[in-house]
Amino acid sequence: MSSRTTGDRPAPEILTSIESDDWDGRDVTGERHDQVAFVDVDMTEMIDQGAVFSGCAFRRVRFNASRHTDAAFLNCTFTRCNFFDAAFTGCKMVGSEFDGCSFDLLKVDGGDWSFARLSGAELRGVSFTDVRMREADLTGARLEGATLQRADLSGASLRLADLSRCDLRGSDLSSLDPLSVNLRGAVVDLAQAVLIATALGLDVRSG
């Protein structure tokens, strides 16, 4: 058995491993995997309805064009994985950590990504809508041109994040320090504009 460390948090021991396997197009609906290391596994176009992965480690796994609905990846680590054109609908990623992953054309609709660690992640052009991301770590994340609509970002770390041209409408920006991020060309609604202006020390008045 081997153990992992997730940032500064202890992680469950890995009990089994699956290496260099071909899960291309596999239907994992309803399956459960606990404390498994998936290494160099091809999960391209995998279909996932309600599967649960708990305390798992994914290393160099290809999730390209995979579809996940109401699935859970709890306290998992993803290292150098590829999520090209992957879709997650109503999924839980609570406490999971991403390191060196590729997210081109990723689409996330609903679900709970609270406490997820995406610091420094290349998230340009991705889409997150109606997602709960409380206390997520987006420090230094690159979100240029991304969609981040109606996301619950309360308590999230956004320091040094690049939010240029990012569509932020409807998202909770209460923890945003506008002086610590790049907001050039970002799209916000009126309530968010007032919040940002107030955070910059402006006295916003009507009339």
Side-chain angles (χ1 to χ4, degrees):
M1 296 185 294
S2 62
S3 61
R4 300 180 285 116
T5 300
T6 306
D8 56 1
R9 297 173 298 179
E13 289 185 331
I14 292 299
L15 301 179
T16 59
S17 64
I18 298 173
E19 301 185 19
S20 302
D21 207 349
D22 184 2
W23 287 26
D24 189 344
R26 176 171 170 172
D27 188 340
V28 298
T29 294
E31 292 185 11
R32 183 176 184 101
H33 300 273
D34 295 290
Q35 297 166 251
V36 180
F38 295 89
V39 183
D40 295 311
V41 177
D42 186 358
M43 295 185 176
T44 300
E45 296 186 354
M46 186 174 76
I47 299 171
D48 172 7
Q49 176 85 33
V52 176
F53 297 84
S54 180
C56 294
F58 298 86
R59 302 173 192 141
R60 299 181 300 279
V61 172
R62 294 179 293 282
F63 290 94
N64 302 342
S66 59
R67 296 294 179 262
H68 309 265
T69 304
D70 298 327
F73 295 81
L74 308 175
N75 193 32
C76 293
T77 60
F78 299 85
T79 305
R80 304 189 71 81
C81 295
N82 196 328
F83 292 91
F84 176 78
D85 197 28
F88 292 84
T89 304
C91 296
K92 293 183 179 180
M93 288 279 189
V94 177
S96 289
E97 180 174 0
F98 301 81
D99 181 22
C101 296
S102 175
F103 299 98
D104 294 339
L105 301 181
L106 171 71
K107 300 177 185 66
V108 180
D109 184 10
D112 192 347
W113 288 53
S114 297
F115 304 100
R117 294 195 174 192
L118 290 153
S119 57
E122 291 284 348
L123 296 167
R124 286 175 285 192
V126 304
S127 176
F128 284 87
T129 57
D130 299 299
V131 184
R132 186 176 186 179
M133 303 180 77
R134 290 187 177 183
E135 298 189 45
D137 186 356
L138 291 162
T139 304
R142 304 290 298 273
L143 286 147
E144 303 102 304
T147 296
L148 200 59
Q149 290 187 351
R150 299 180 301 280
D152 182 356
L153 292 165
S154 54
S157 175
L158 293 162
R159 188 174 62 85
L160 302 179
D162 190 341
L163 300 171
S164 56
R165 298 182 292 105
C166 184
D167 190 342
L168 298 165
R169 288 175 294 175
S171 292
D172 184 335
L173 302 180
S174 57
S175 62
L176 175 70
D177 177 0
L179 294 176
S180 72
V181 299
N182 181 0
L183 285 169
R184 186 178 181 84
V187 180
V188 297
D189 57 37
L190 290 177
Q192 291 170 325
V194 171
L195 180 70
I196 293 169
T198 302
L200 289 170
L202 300 180
D203 183 359
V204 180
R205 303 182 184 184
S206 60

